[in-house]
């Protein structure tokens, strides 16, 4: 089963002048009891932060938080003592675990565009931890590049405490990719730009599909496309 959700159904939040955020799941003032999570994927925010602005220090706990920078850079500082810059093509993972606080700022003179995803961890009470890696995924072509994974068979990725894997793809027009999966797994796809067909369903920028009980996800680009694909466990026991 494949559920198509058009870009127009995303919740657009502008709580402050410097932030434009599309919420794909219930978050902050947006609440929909039928759209709380997809497997362990609890939050997916598509954020644009204006120059010289950002999020002051705020707390988190019992969540795996992944930031994927698409354009610009984030200045990150946290109560673990990390003070880093996350640039386009880099990926960050924070295990909030028993609790931490952090801030995120765009200290440059151009907009910052990034995705932030929260995952329900596979266990509670983890010690807070941090990882950042330059994966240089933005220049890849016609393949699925793993960015973040809790599956230890994958190398050169950011580790997450979740039985999930985040992939990125730059798929050129008329090129195709097949992603093999299982009925016990779910697949989530969010299109940044371009046009693709996913098992025959057409997607445009900002569209998403949520797939359950599928064996193969077939993706063909109608126009040059950039998208994120997330492989997720279907059952809570496997998070």
């Amino acid at each position: 089963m494949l559920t198509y959700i058009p870009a127009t159904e995303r919740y657009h939040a502008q709580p402050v002048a410097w932030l434009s955020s599309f919420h794909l799941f219930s978050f902050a003032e947006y609440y929909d009891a039928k759209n709380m999570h997809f497997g362990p994927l609890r939050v997916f925010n598509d954020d644009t932060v204006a120059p010289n602005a950002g999020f002051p220090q705020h707390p988190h706990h019992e969540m795996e938080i992944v930031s994927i920078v698409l354009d610009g850079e984030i200045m990150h500082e946290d109560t673990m003592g990390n003070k880093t810059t996350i640039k386009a093509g880099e990926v960050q993972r924070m295990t909030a675990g028993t609790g931490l606080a952090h801030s995120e700022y765009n200290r440059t003179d151009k907009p910052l565009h990034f995705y932030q995803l929260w995952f329900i961890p596979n266990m509670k009470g983890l010690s807070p931890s941090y990882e950042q890696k330059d994966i240089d995924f933005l220049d890849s072509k016609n393949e699925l590049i793993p960015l973040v994974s809790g599956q230890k068979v994958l190398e050169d990725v950011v580790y997450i405490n979740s039985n999930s894997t985040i992939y990125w793809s730059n798929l050129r027009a008329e090129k195709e990719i097949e992603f093999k999966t299982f009925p016990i797994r779910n697949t989530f796809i969010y299109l940044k730009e371009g046009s693709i067909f996913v098992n025959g369903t057409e997607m445009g920028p900002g569209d998403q599909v949520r797939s359950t009980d599928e064996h193969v996800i077939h993706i063909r680009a109608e126009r040059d496309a950039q998208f994120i694909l997330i492989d997720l466990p279907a059952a809570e026991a496997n998070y």
Side-chain angles (χ1 to χ4, degrees):
M1 179 180 176
L2 189 147
T3 301
Y4 165 74
I5 303 173
T8 52
E9 292 189 13
R10 299 174 299 175
Y11 183 87
H12 187 208
Q14 290 183 290
V16 288
W18 50 264
L19 175 64
S20 174
S21 182
F22 290 97
H23 302 341
L24 276 58
F25 297 93
S26 294
F27 184 82
E29 74 275 13
Y30 166 52
Y31 176 77
D32 180 350
K34 297 180 180 179
N35 190 30
M36 296 300 297
H37 63 97
F38 187 57
L41 179 58
R42 174 62 188 84
V43 169
F44 191 130
N45 290 345
D46 182 345
D47 289 347
T48 300
V49 178
N52 300 300
F55 304 92
Q57 190 177 90
H58 54 282
H60 294 285
H61 70 281
E62 300 299 357
M63 199 65 65
E64 298 288 293
I65 300 173
V66 174
S67 296
I68 300 170
V69 180
L70 305 173
D71 194 29
E73 58 185 50
I74 300 171
M75 292 291 295
H76 165 92
E77 189 168 358
D78 63 45
T79 51
M80 292 181 286
N82 297 299
K83 190 173 183 180
T84 64
T85 301
I86 311 153
K87 298 181 179 180
E90 295 187 338
V91 180
Q92 175 207 66
R93 184 267 306 157
M94 283 196 315
T95 295
T98 54
L100 58 77
H102 74 138
S103 61
E104 301 159 293
Y105 280 96
N106 175 13
R107 299 295 191 190
T108 73
D109 294 325
K110 69 174 188 176
L112 159 67
H113 184 202
F114 74 109
Y115 295 158
Q116 187 163 96
L117 296 75
W118 297 9
F119 292 82
I120 300 166
N122 52 25
M123 65 180 72
K124 291 187 176 182
L126 293 166
S127 297
S129 62
Y130 181 93
E131 185 179 2
Q132 178 179 335
K133 190 179 289 289
D134 182 359
I135 300 179
D136 196 25
F137 60 91
L138 294 171
D139 291 328
S140 64
K141 292 182 176 64
N142 304 321
E143 58 182 328
L144 287 169
I145 303 294
L147 307 182
V148 179
S149 183
Q151 300 169 338
K152 295 183 179 181
V153 295
L154 294 172
E155 298 180 351
D156 298 321
V157 299
V158 172
Y159 180 76
I160 188 174
N161 293 288
S162 170
N163 182 18
S164 307
T165 302
I166 302 173
Y167 297 88
W168 179 268
S169 183
N170 299 315
L171 193 60
R172 300 303 183 224
E174 305 305 323
K175 296 293 184 179
E176 301 180 357
I177 289 176
E178 274 194 351
F179 180 72
K180 295 182 180 179
T181 184
F182 304 93
I184 61 171
R185 306 289 294 181
N186 293 338
T187 306
F188 179 94
I189 297 175
Y190 181 63
L191 185 62
K192 177 179 179 287
E193 60 183 57
S195 175
I196 60 175
F197 283 86
V198 178
N199 287 6
T201 297
E202 185 173 10
M203 295 179 64
D207 291 351
Q208 58 184 292
V209 295
R210 304 179 189 184
S211 173
T212 60
D213 297 320
E214 296 283 346
H215 292 273
V216 177
I217 306 298
H218 182 266
I219 304 166
R220 179 176 66 83
E222 182 75 7
R223 299 192 305 274
D224 288 359
Q226 294 184 322
F227 62 90
I228 193 169
L229 181 150
I230 310 175
D231 174 38
L232 299 154
E236 187 173 355
N238 296 324
Y239 284 8

